[in-house]
């Protein structure tokens, strides 16, 4: 591919669409998604961002709405379209046919009008084997070739056929222009092997695998097998099951086929996407039981109206022309489906997770996500800066934060709750030297560069989050960011992950950072910059009265420019075995780094024992905070210069991390230089009682 093409994926939040996006991005395409979420959730897109390590523009738009559809074409230079959006349940289509005709056909008409208006000529369309109807009505049409006469037997199939005809008519009107690939899918099953995306049916699943998964996880009692008296090897009907990852790859093959066509040579052609191998219901049942490792209860009931004995594809045309064929078998699909089902028993709909828009518009990459939302210990996180926006203990907030994203985007910042990086704390004069090269960062704090400089991690929208509920009372939210070489003035392309883990039962929030760099080595030091106020629940906007104890008095001595002198001194602050230091209205003032380990050289500290570094209590509110970390240093700041909507001493921060200005200190340098092929890692825990 010469230039990176942009593909508009309609219905991209859905089952097949989301899997196709993974393949598109792997094949170097950019994707834009339009979906009205009538049968899906934005969480699939948030997960795709983490899985594919890229931002995926998303439009919450109904294809039938001309105006917002036109906006998508205006705002993006679309090269081609893959059109998944549509209602797809055969049974439902017989109950509400008008809705099916309206949604599927009008949606396609609007899409085609926009394509015509904005000169987008290539479209891959999700059709279905349903258009063939009962191919067994012919004596010799199993396996089913594309030439098999069509004859859908339900409104859903009729809408697919009608769209195929619309495409053919449009092509016939301008044969030099239009390039249409009509893909007739057989039975998609399975899930992405990562276990992060899969089929998430709302209500009772229509398809065999999601249904069996719900029986296996105890959500449904037993599987109904509709008839075992067909004339097949075991009496149950035969279908052509195709792994959804294979199916997704079929779309790339079709798109490349269209891309390769010469200008002026249009096409409108159908291809079956199937394996060519039929499996009976009992064979799939067996494969699924093997994947689960136990027998799933089932009952044979009577035949279902409209079911036919055998629907197997003849996939030769796709093999010859698109150079595509299936590679994964039913057993693999069952295994992948089971991984998805066990790791996400409620699909994307997690109880105890709430998402709100943090902007006045519906901006999906700027949401506030609350984990543990049904409990009294909960955390709210945001894409901007992978920020900890709020933390509630016993139902009351104990941190400083804003209730909308705009609050964080003011010219001055105090980094409230933000992920600080690439380099937390000061770099003297914003200068460092690495691998023979000299670097000068923007000065943003006296004569120094602080917290990575302006526009650093705190001001960037992270990808994701990937939110999961791995066990009762545990919620995780993972954000990621790619900070390209020199994007924030630092060398090397850095990929970082910020992993929040909330434990409702132990009232603790763990934050884990990881980083990997490519191209060049980089200095790195990440932390979280939450300001705590344990008085907040008493309605007090000050930290006055908070009792503080720390692990050590040993602190980094700094000169008048807050640059380390190289000496470790003792500061007047209470350690755990002493009477706590009480924070008054104005004093004591702390903006100092303390060291629990003076000579750490570890770039990944995660395997170290978590060490308690600060304990803060408020005797009035009776809330106690403990800060633990695997890091060798922690910075205590009493918020004396708080700004950006907050008052001085409204909150205090404890920021575990590497040593201040370590990149310029010979004895500490190694702890902050991340080389390609190494992993940076650190952990912080906020624990409450
Ligand atoms: P899905 O329901 O998971 O995905 C379809 C997506 O389209 C959903 O995210 C839904 O919210 C969206 N959508 C529906 N109407 C829309 C509209 N008017 N505007 C914007 N978005 C809209 O279904 P899927 O299984 O991923 O199927 C994708 C396509 O493949 C569908 O067209 C379906 O008919 C076709 N297909 C599916 C199967 C199958 O068994 N899954 C088989 C053959 C064909």
């Amino acid at each position: 591919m010469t230039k990176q093409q942009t593909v508009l994926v309609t219905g991209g939040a859905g089952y097949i669409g989301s899997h196709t996006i993974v393949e598109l991005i792997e094949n170097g395409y950019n994707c834009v998604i339009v979906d009205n979420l009538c049968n899906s959730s934005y969480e699939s897109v948030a997960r795709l961002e983490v899985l594919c390590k890229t931002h995926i523009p998303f439009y919450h738009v109904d294809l039938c709405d001309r105006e917002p559809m036109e906006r998508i074409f205006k705002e993006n230079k679309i090269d081609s379209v893959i059109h998944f959006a549509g209602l797809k349940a055969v049974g439902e289509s017989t109950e509400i046919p008008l809705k099916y005709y309206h949604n599927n056909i009008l949606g396609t008409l609007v899409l085609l009008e926009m394509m015509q208006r904005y000169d987008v000529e290539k479209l891959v369309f999700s059709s279905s084997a349903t258009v063939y109807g009962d191919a067994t009505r012919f004596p010799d049409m199993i396996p089913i070739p594309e030439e098999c006469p069509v004859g859908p037997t339900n409104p859903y199939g009729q809408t697919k056929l009608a769209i195929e005809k619309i495409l053919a008519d449009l092509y016939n009107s301008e044969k030099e222009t239009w390039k249409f690939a009509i893909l007739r899918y057989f039975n998609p099953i399975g899930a992405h092997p990562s276990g992060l995306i899969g089929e998430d049916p709302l209500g009772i699943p229509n398809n065999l695998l999601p249904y069996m998964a719900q029986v296996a996880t105890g959500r449904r009692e037993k599987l109904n097998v509709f008839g075992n008296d067909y004339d097949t090897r075991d009496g149950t009907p035969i279908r052509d099951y195709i792994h959804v990852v294979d199916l997704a790859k079929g779309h790339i093959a079709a798109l490349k086929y269209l891309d390769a066509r010469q200008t002026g040579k249009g096409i409108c052609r159908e291809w079956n996407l199937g394996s060519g191998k039929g499996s009976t219901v009992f064979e799939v049942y067996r494969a699924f039981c093997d994947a689960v490792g136990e027998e799933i209860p089932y009952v044979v009931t009577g035949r279902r109206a409209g079911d036919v004995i055998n629907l197997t594809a003849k996939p030769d045309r796709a093999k010859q022309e698109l150079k595509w064929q299936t590679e994964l078998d039913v057993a693999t699909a069952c295994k992948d489906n089971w991984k998805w089902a066990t790791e996400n028993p409620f699909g994307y709909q997690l109880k105890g997770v709430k998402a709100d828009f943090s902007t006045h518009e519906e901006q999906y990459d700027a949401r506030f996500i609350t984990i543990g939302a049904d409990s009294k210990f909960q955390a709210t996180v945001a894409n901007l800066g992978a920020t900890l926006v709020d933390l509630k203990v016993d139902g009351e907030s104990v941190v400083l934060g804003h209730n909308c994203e705009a609050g964080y985007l003011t010219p001055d910042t105090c980094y409230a709750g933000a992920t600080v990086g690439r380099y937390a704390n000061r770099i003297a004069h914003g200068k460092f030297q690495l691998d023979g090269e000299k670097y000068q960062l923007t000065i943003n704090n006296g004569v120094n560069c602080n917290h990575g400089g302006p526009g650093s991690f705190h001001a960037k929208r992270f990808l994701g989050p990937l939110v999961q509920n791995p066990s009762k009372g545990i919620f995780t939210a993972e954000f990621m960011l790619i900070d390209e070489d020199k994007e924030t003035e630092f060398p090397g392309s850095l990929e970082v992950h910020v992993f929040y883990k909330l434990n409702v039962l132990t009232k603790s929030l763990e934050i884990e950072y990881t980083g990997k760099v490519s191209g060049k080595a980089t200095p790195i030091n990440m932390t979280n910059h939450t300001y705590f106020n344990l008085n907040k629940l008493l309605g007090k906007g000050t930290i006055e009265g908070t009792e503080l104890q720390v692990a050590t008095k040993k602190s980094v001595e700094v000169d008048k420019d807050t640059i380390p002198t190289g000496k470790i001194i003792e500061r007047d602050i209470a350690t755990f075995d002493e009477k706590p230091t009480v924070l008054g209205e104005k004093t004591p003032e702390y903006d100092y780094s303390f060291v629990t380990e003076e000579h750490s050289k570890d770039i990944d500290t995660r395997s170290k024992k978590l060490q308690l570094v600060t304990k803060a209590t408020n005797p009035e509110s009776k809330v106690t905070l403990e800060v633990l970390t695997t890091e060798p240093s922690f910075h205590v700041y009493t918020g004396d210069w708080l700004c950006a909507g907050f008052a001085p001493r409204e909150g205090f921060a404890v920021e575990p991390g590497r040593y201040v200005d370590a990149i310029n200190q010979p004895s500490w340098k190694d702890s902050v230089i991340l080389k390609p092929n190494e992993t940076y890692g650190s952990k912080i825990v906020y624990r409450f009682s």
Side-chain angles (χ1 to χ4, degrees), residues 545-602:
T546 304
E547 298 178 352
L548 209 62
Q549 288 165 306
V550 294
T552 180
K553 291 182 196 296
K554 283 187 185 170
S555 176
V556 179
E557 186 185 63
V558 287
D559 65 13
K560 63 171 186 5
D561 292 329
T562 65
I563 297 166
T565 60
K567 271 206 218 151
I568 298 289
I569 55 165
E570 295 222 331
R571 295 208 189 266
D572 185 12
I573 191 165
T575 49
F576 296 134
D577 52 358
E578 293 176 331
K579 206 161 146 274
T581 299
V582 181
L583 301 181
E585 192 192 342
K586 295 212 164 125
T587 55
E589 281 184 16
Y590 294 113
D591 190 5
Y592 299 123
S593 290
F594 295 85
V595 288
T596 49
E597 199 183 332
E598 283 181 50
H599 304 290
S600 171
K601 291 193 187 310
D602 299 315

Side-chain angles (χ1 to χ4, degrees), residues 11 13-17 35-40 61-63 84-88 103 126-128 156 160 185-186 188 207:
Y15 173 44
I16 306 167
D35 201 304
N36 66 0
L37 302 179
C38 70
N39 194 39
S40 53
V61 164
D62 191 311
L63 257 62
F84 294 103
L87 299 174
K88 63 161 185 180
N103 186 75
S126 299
S127 191
S128 168
Y156 163 69
K160 290 289 173 194
Y185 314 155
F186 280 69
N207 296 335

Side-chain angles (χ1 to χ4, degrees), residues 287-303:
F288 198 74
C289 289
D290 288 348
V292 173
E294 62 183 60
E295 297 299 295
I296 298 162
Y298 75 89
V299 59
V300 177
T301 59
R303 290 187 181 194

Side-chain angles (χ1 to χ4, degrees), residues 179-192:
K179 295 173 184 148
F180 297 143
I182 294 168
L183 304 181
R184 292 174 176 164
Y185 314 155
F186 280 69
N187 287 49
I189 56 169
H192 193 265

